[in-house]
Amino acid sequence: NYTSQAADVIEKIAAAVSKNALLEDITREKQKNNPLFAFLHEDNEYHKYYRLRIFEIKNPGMYGDNIMPFCLFEAYFLY
């Protein structure tokens, strides 16, 4: 289940990876047996949200006051 702890971990890892992409592979390897980091794997249900957060962090203010573009919304909620 998605918890506030998982949300915090996703947010922290997304922020770190947005600055240094190599950290994703390092973290995935070090935390391979930790279910809290399962979102680092493409087959995890929260992986697309994690990728979206990296994109948002790298592109601050891209949306302005608008709702996120439908293609990103669709990628997170429909898959």
Side-chain angles (χ1 to χ4, degrees):
N1 286 341
Y2 188 73
T3 65
S4 62
Q5 183 183 16
D8 290 343
V9 171
I10 289 172
E11 193 64 29
K12 287 176 184 172
I13 297 299
V17 169
S18 71
K19 295 175 185 159
N20 182 351
L22 295 176
L23 291 175
E24 182 174 335
D25 291 335
I26 293 167
T27 305
R28 185 185 305 110
E29 180 59 30
K30 285 186 176 183
Q31 300 294 337
K32 63 184 171 188
N33 295 319
N34 186 340
L36 199 54
F37 290 83
F39 66 88
L40 292 171
H41 300 279
E42 290 183 15
D43 61 343
N44 183 270
E45 63 185 316
Y46 299 111
H47 184 76
K48 287 185 171 89
Y49 173 71
Y50 161 68
R51 288 281 175 220
L52 175 63
R53 288 301 299 133
I54 292 171
F55 178 82
E56 290 173 335
I57 292 166
K58 285 183 166 184
N59 300 281
M62 181 173 179
Y63 307 131
D65 293 331
N66 298 322
I67 297 173
M68 75 175 75
F70 179 76
C71 62
L72 295 177
F73 179 87
E74 181 181 41
Y76 176 64
F77 289 101
L78 298 182
Y79 295 99

